[in-house]
Amino acid sequence: MSDDLRREQLARWVGRALEMDRAAALFDLAGDAGFRRYFRTGTEPRLVAVDSPPQRTNPARFVALADYLRRNGLHTPMVIAADTTNGFLLLEDLGDIQLFCALNKDSVEGLYAEVLSELLCLQQIPREEVLLPTYSRELLLAEMRIMPEWLAGKMLGYPLGAQDAQLLERTFRLLLESAAEQPQTLVHRDYHSRNLMVRGGQRPGIMDFQDAVWGPVTYDLASLLRDCYIRWPRERVVRWALAYAATAESTGILEPVARERFLRWFDWMGLQRHIKVLGLFPRLLLRDGKQGYLDNLPLVIRYVLEISERYPELRPFGEWFRSELLPLIEQQPWYSDYRMAGG
């Protein structure tokens, strides 16, 4: 079915859901990296209509998770109406101001204090196993393997040899072992500045939670503080991360843990995520036709090389990436100097 026909059907469905005598007016909103499309309604109050194709997404899970997280104190969008069979949703509008757009050197301390406090609330939510599957070793590994397939192979045309594959698997195993030894909590899985909404003194709005799992405690912290779209000096990031750890200990999320061990968990979890993103953004272009994400890869490369150089166990991976892939990346039209990425 064409996108235009889906939009027409969604508009008629919204009109019926709101007991209007006509189809609702829909206005395009920026989408996400998935297959959902978002529209703002021309009603008062404004609402958000979502086209969530059921063959590619899981709208029923979105509805269930939105309800579960709201009942446990988070401000996810209220579901006004849902047709999960056809993949049509009508949601509360959480506004226009992404955290990303509100961040600057003056606002960052206060805004991060708010969203880190919200993260602590998220991590105290009890597990419901049907809704929150384990962030398994197999899934974490599959995510990292997106990088050699889509960045190295399909975008750069780099043929992975046996030694390359062995080096990658050794590196991936180290990161998996670090993830496995951490306390496990609810993981949003995309807790970053473009999925958090600033709402004028109200609690932050939380979006894109539909892939939530039960996994490593530092995952969402790394997503936020090592954001793929904005960078802060390492000294500030370390201070925020350790302050978060101290508060997590006081709330019972964490048992007391040595500073060095927590930072290692945090750094290595961020590296796992960034290795995934190095493959995910090229896949979004090459497979899904989604433009605009590749411009953020130089910052991701900067994170990957900085962390790899910090830990002796990870240096072989960083050296391999720098010598084998980086020269090919530098020839790409989207590339800019990673050393300057994020300021």
Side-chain angles (χ1 to χ4, degrees):
M1 185 183 300
S2 72
D3 286 349
D4 287 345
L5 183 55
R6 288 279 300 178
R7 179 175 178 149
E8 290 175 14
Q9 292 182 343
L10 176 62
R12 290 196 296 270
W13 175 80
V14 171
R16 292 193 300 271
L18 295 178
E19 299 181 348
M20 300 166 61
D21 58 4
R22 64 188 185 281
L26 300 181
F27 303 93
D28 289 349
L29 281 173
D32 57 26
F35 296 99
R36 289 165 293 275
R37 293 189 301 157
Y38 298 85
F39 307 91
R40 180 166 280 140
T41 68
T43 59
E44 186 58 43
R46 300 183 309 182
L47 300 170
V48 173
V50 186
D51 175 13
S52 182
Q55 68 275 18
R56 290 183 173 270
T57 64
N58 190 341
R61 185 166 191 266
F62 178 96
V63 171
L65 270 170
D67 177 65
Y68 186 66
L69 297 176
R70 282 183 70 88
R71 284 189 284 113
N72 281 279
L74 299 186
H75 200 117
T76 57
M78 181 182 296
V79 178
I80 309 300
D83 176 352
T84 57
T85 300
N86 290 303
F88 297 149
L89 307 174
L90 188 60
L91 309 177
E92 172 191 9
D93 186 350
L94 297 184
D96 294 312
I97 306 175
Q98 294 177 338
L99 175 64
F100 176 80
C101 299
L103 287 170
N104 56 52
K105 62 182 179 61
D106 298 318
S107 67
V108 62
E109 293 287 349
L111 289 173
Y112 269 26
E114 289 182 29
V115 295
L116 286 169
S117 176
E118 209 68 12
L119 180 56
L120 287 164
C121 295
L122 181 149
Q123 292 188 329
Q124 293 176 78
I125 294 175
R127 185 178 188 184
E128 188 169 306
E129 292 195 21
V130 174
L131 279 180
L132 297 166
T134 299
Y135 207 171
S136 66
R137 182 184 181 95
E138 291 74 23
L139 179 53
L140 287 161
L141 179 58
E143 290 178 342
M144 289 187 284
R145 286 176 173 165
I146 298 172
M147 186 274 286
E149 178 182 1
W150 286 92
L151 175 66
K154 295 187 177 179
M155 174 163 278
L156 302 178
Y158 178 85
L160 214 65
Q163 288 188 329
D164 300 323
Q166 290 171 6
L167 171 64
L168 290 178
E169 291 302 309
R170 284 197 300 272
T171 303
F172 295 170
R173 186 168 58 250
L174 289 171
L175 300 180
L176 293 172
E177 290 168 356
S178 176
E181 72 180 36
Q182 298 181 36
Q184 307 289 294
T185 67
L186 197 159
V187 175
H188 176 289
R189 221 166 148 200
D190 254 335
Y191 197 85
H192 60 68
S193 64
R194 291 188 174 175
N195 285 333
L196 297 167
M197 309 302 292
V198 177
R199 304 172 60 246
Q202 302 180 62
R203 293 179 69 170
I206 299 177
M207 306 293 293
D208 252 8
F209 46 80
Q210 60 276 344
D211 294 322
V213 290
W214 197 258
V217 68
T218 62
Y219 190 95
D220 285 337
L221 185 67
S223 298
L224 179 68
L225 300 184
R226 294 260 167 76
D227 196 320
C228 296
Y229 307 109
I230 191 167
R231 180 182 182 274
W232 305 100
R234 175 174 173 80
E235 297 75 18
R236 297 185 85 173
V237 170
V238 167
R239 173 166 58 81
W240 290 328
L242 291 176
Y244 179 85
T247 309
E249 287 182 14
S250 70
T251 58
I253 295 169
L254 273 178
E255 295 292 329
V257 59
R259 175 184 189 276
E260 294 75 15
R261 188 182 190 196
F262 184 82
L263 288 177
R264 180 187 175 102
W265 285 348
F266 170 74
D267 282 342
W268 288 31
M269 197 75 256
L271 180 59
Q272 186 277 339
R273 177 174 170 80
H274 291 132
I275 289 172
K276 173 183 75 171
V277 170
L278 284 176
L280 180 61
F281 285 2
R283 188 175 74 180
L284 285 170
L285 174 69
L286 298 174
R287 187 191 72 181
D288 304 330
K290 289 184 177 287
Q291 306 283 339
Y293 288 93
L294 295 181
D295 290 343
N296 302 113
L297 276 185
L299 176 54
V300 179
I301 292 167
R302 181 173 186 176
Y303 287 138
V304 165
L305 292 177
E306 285 177 346
I307 296 305
S308 298
E309 290 164 2
R310 186 168 292 277
Y311 295 92
E313 306 96 316
L314 302 176
R315 281 180 197 148
F317 169 75
E319 291 166 359
W320 171 83
F321 190 95
R322 187 185 295 279
S323 65
E324 301 298 322
L325 296 192
L326 190 57
L328 299 173
I329 290 171
E330 289 171 341
Q331 299 173 30
Q332 296 293 308
W334 48 264
Y335 178 74
S336 59
D337 190 345
Y338 78 89
R339 294 168 299 183
M340 306 300 293

mmCIF file of all heavy atoms in Angstrom, residues 183-198:
data_model
loop_
_atom_site.group_PDB
_atom_site.id
_atom_site.type_symbol
_atom_site.label_atom_id
_atom_site.label_comp_id
_atom_site.label_asym_id
_atom_site.label_seq_id
_atom_site.Cartn_x
_atom_site.Cartn_y
_atom_site.Cartn_z
ATOM 1 N N PRO A 183 24.814 -4.724 36.919
ATOM 2 C CA PRO A 183 23.419 -4.869 37.357
ATOM 3 C C PRO A 183 22.486 -4.631 36.173
ATOM 4 O O PRO A 183 22.787 -3.836 35.281
ATOM 5 C CB PRO A 183 23.262 -3.771 38.422
ATOM 6 C CG PRO A 183 24.652 -3.478 38.872
ATOM 7 C CD PRO A 183 25.540 -3.706 37.687
ATOM 8 N N GLN A 184 21.359 -5.319 36.180
ATOM 9 C CA GLN A 184 20.413 -5.249 35.068
ATOM 10 C C GLN A 184 19.162 -4.482 35.501
ATOM 11 O O GLN A 184 18.623 -4.707 36.591
ATOM 12 C CB GLN A 184 20.040 -6.652 34.602
ATOM 13 C CG GLN A 184 21.243 -7.541 34.275
ATOM 14 C CD GLN A 184 21.978 -7.141 33.008
ATOM 15 O OE1 GLN A 184 21.424 -7.247 31.911
ATOM 16 N NE2 GLN A 184 23.222 -6.681 33.144
ATOM 17 N N THR A 185 18.707 -3.584 34.632
ATOM 18 C CA THR A 185 17.532 -2.755 34.909
ATOM 19 C C THR A 185 16.736 -2.605 33.619
ATOM 20 O O THR A 185 17.120 -3.105 32.563
ATOM 21 C CB THR A 185 17.935 -1.346 35.395
ATOM 22 O OG1 THR A 185 18.578 -0.649 34.313
ATOM 23 C CG2 THR A 185 18.875 -1.402 36.587
ATOM 24 N N LEU A 186 15.649 -1.844 33.712
ATOM 25 C CA LEU A 186 14.933 -1.457 32.503
ATOM 26 C C LEU A 186 15.846 -0.571 31.653
ATOM 27 O O LEU A 186 16.478 0.352 32.164
ATOM 28 C CB LEU A 186 13.649 -0.701 32.878
ATOM 29 C CG LEU A 186 12.571 -0.550 31.794
ATOM 30 C CD1 LEU A 186 11.223 -0.261 32.450
ATOM 31 C CD2 LEU A 186 12.882 0.556 30.794
ATOM 32 N N VAL A 187 15.914 -0.850 30.362
ATOM 33 C CA VAL A 187 16.726 -0.075 29.421
ATOM 34 C C VAL A 187 15.812 0.477 28.335
ATOM 35 O O VAL A 187 15.177 -0.287 27.601
ATOM 36 C CB VAL A 187 17.829 -0.952 28.781
ATOM 37 C CG1 VAL A 187 18.597 -0.166 27.720
ATOM 38 C CG2 VAL A 187 18.784 -1.479 29.848
ATOM 39 N N HIS A 188 15.746 1.801 28.226
ATOM 40 C CA HIS A 188 14.957 2.450 27.185
ATOM 41 C C HIS A 188 15.501 2.087 25.806
ATOM 42 O O HIS A 188 14.764 1.803 24.888
ATOM 43 C CB HIS A 188 15.005 3.968 27.402
ATOM 44 C CG HIS A 188 14.324 4.776 26.360
ATOM 45 N ND1 HIS A 188 14.822 4.926 25.079
ATOM 46 C CD2 HIS A 188 13.181 5.519 26.403
ATOM 47 C CE1 HIS A 188 14.009 5.701 24.382
ATOM 48 N NE2 HIS A 188 13.013 6.081 25.158
ATOM 49 N N ARG A 189 16.818 2.147 25.666
ATOM 50 C CA ARG A 189 17.575 1.732 24.488
ATOM 51 C C ARG A 189 17.819 2.850 23.484
ATOM 52 O O ARG A 189 18.598 2.679 22.556
ATOM 53 C CB ARG A 189 16.893 0.547 23.794
ATOM 54 C CG ARG A 189 17.868 -0.508 23.311
ATOM 55 C CD ARG A 189 17.130 -1.772 22.970
ATOM 56 N NE ARG A 189 17.768 -2.480 21.894
ATOM 57 C CZ ARG A 189 17.172 -3.373 21.143
ATOM 58 N NH1 ARG A 189 15.900 -3.660 21.356
ATOM 59 N NH2 ARG A 189 17.819 -3.980 20.187
ATOM 60 N N ASP A 190 17.175 3.980 23.644
ATOM 61 C CA ASP A 190 17.441 5.142 22.800
ATOM 62 C C ASP A 190 17.248 6.415 23.622
ATOM 63 O O ASP A 190 16.620 7.378 23.165
ATOM 64 C CB ASP A 190 16.522 5.161 21.584
ATOM 65 C CG ASP A 190 17.247 4.791 20.301
ATOM 66 O OD1 ASP A 190 18.473 4.988 20.237
ATOM 67 O OD2 ASP A 190 16.600 4.289 19.367
ATOM 68 N N TYR A 191 17.808 6.435 24.822
ATOM 69 C CA TYR A 191 17.603 7.533 25.757
ATOM 70 C C TYR A 191 18.621 8.625 25.438
ATOM 71 O O TYR A 191 19.717 8.671 26.011
ATOM 72 C CB TYR A 191 17.777 7.016 27.188
ATOM 73 C CG TYR A 191 17.211 7.925 28.255
ATOM 74 C CD1 TYR A 191 15.870 7.854 28.603
ATOM 75 C CD2 TYR A 191 18.016 8.838 28.929
ATOM 76 C CE1 TYR A 191 15.332 8.666 29.589
ATOM 77 C CE2 TYR A 191 17.502 9.647 29.923
ATOM 78 C CZ TYR A 191 16.156 9.562 30.247
ATOM 79 O OH TYR A 191 15.629 10.377 31.229
ATOM 80 N N HIS A 192 18.263 9.507 24.486
ATOM 81 C CA HIS A 192 19.186 10.551 24.064
ATOM 82 C C HIS A 192 18.422 11.834 23.748
ATOM 83 O O HIS A 192 17.194 11.884 23.867
ATOM 84 C CB HIS A 192 20.036 10.092 22.882
ATOM 85 C CG HIS A 192 19.258 9.709 21.659
ATOM 86 N ND1 HIS A 192 18.559 10.615 20.902
ATOM 87 C CD2 HIS A 192 19.073 8.505 21.052
ATOM 88 C CE1 HIS A 192 17.997 10.000 19.878
ATOM 89 N NE2 HIS A 192 18.266 8.725 19.950
ATOM 90 N N SER A 193 19.163 12.841 23.329
ATOM 91 C CA SER A 193 18.623 14.204 23.280
ATOM 92 C C SER A 193 17.518 14.395 22.249
ATOM 93 O O SER A 193 16.790 15.385 22.316
ATOM 94 C CB SER A 193 19.759 15.196 23.003
ATOM 95 O OG SER A 193 20.327 14.955 21.723
ATOM 96 N N ARG A 194 17.372 13.504 21.287
ATOM 97 C CA ARG A 194 16.313 13.654 20.288
ATOM 98 C C ARG A 194 15.056 12.865 20.635
ATOM 99 O O ARG A 194 14.068 12.932 19.903
ATOM 100 C CB ARG A 194 16.834 13.274 18.900
ATOM 101 C CG ARG A 194 17.859 14.276 18.378
ATOM 102 C CD ARG A 194 18.245 14.025 16.945
ATOM 103 N NE ARG A 194 19.117 15.093 16.447
ATOM 104 C CZ ARG A 194 19.684 15.084 15.251
ATOM 105 N NH1 ARG A 194 19.471 14.085 14.415
ATOM 106 N NH2 ARG A 194 20.454 16.078 14.857
ATOM 107 N N ASN A 195 15.108 12.130 21.720
ATOM 108 C CA ASN A 195 13.932 11.379 22.166
ATOM 109 C C ASN A 195 13.392 11.871 23.502
ATOM 110 O O ASN A 195 12.512 11.231 24.084
ATOM 111 C CB ASN A 195 14.249 9.881 22.272
ATOM 112 C CG ASN A 195 14.323 9.228 20.909
ATOM 113 O OD1 ASN A 195 13.704 9.675 19.954
ATOM 114 N ND2 ASN A 195 15.098 8.149 20.815
ATOM 115 N N LEU A 196 13.915 12.988 23.986
ATOM 116 C CA LEU A 196 13.477 13.566 25.252
ATOM 117 C C LEU A 196 12.961 14.969 24.974
ATOM 118 O O LEU A 196 13.628 15.778 24.317
ATOM 119 C CB LEU A 196 14.636 13.607 26.248
ATOM 120 C CG LEU A 196 15.185 12.224 26.630
ATOM 121 C CD1 LEU A 196 16.521 12.355 27.355
ATOM 122 C CD2 LEU A 196 14.193 11.453 27.481
ATOM 123 N N MET A 197 11.768 15.253 25.457
ATOM 124 C CA MET A 197 11.096 16.515 25.153
ATOM 125 C C MET A 197 11.091 17.423 26.381
ATOM 126 O O MET A 197 10.740 16.986 27.492
ATOM 127 C CB MET A 197 9.664 16.264 24.696
ATOM 128 C CG MET A 197 9.528 15.240 23.573
ATOM 129 S SD MET A 197 10.461 15.652 22.079
ATOM 130 C CE MET A 197 9.561 17.096 21.511
ATOM 131 N N VAL A 198 11.499 18.674 26.192
ATOM 132 C CA VAL A 198 11.489 19.682 27.254
ATOM 133 C C VAL A 198 10.112 20.331 27.254
ATOM 134 O O VAL A 198 9.613 20.765 26.216
ATOM 135 C CB VAL A 198 12.593 20.725 27.012
ATOM 136 C CG1 VAL A 198 12.546 21.821 28.075
ATOM 137 C CG2 VAL A 198 13.962 20.041 27.006
#
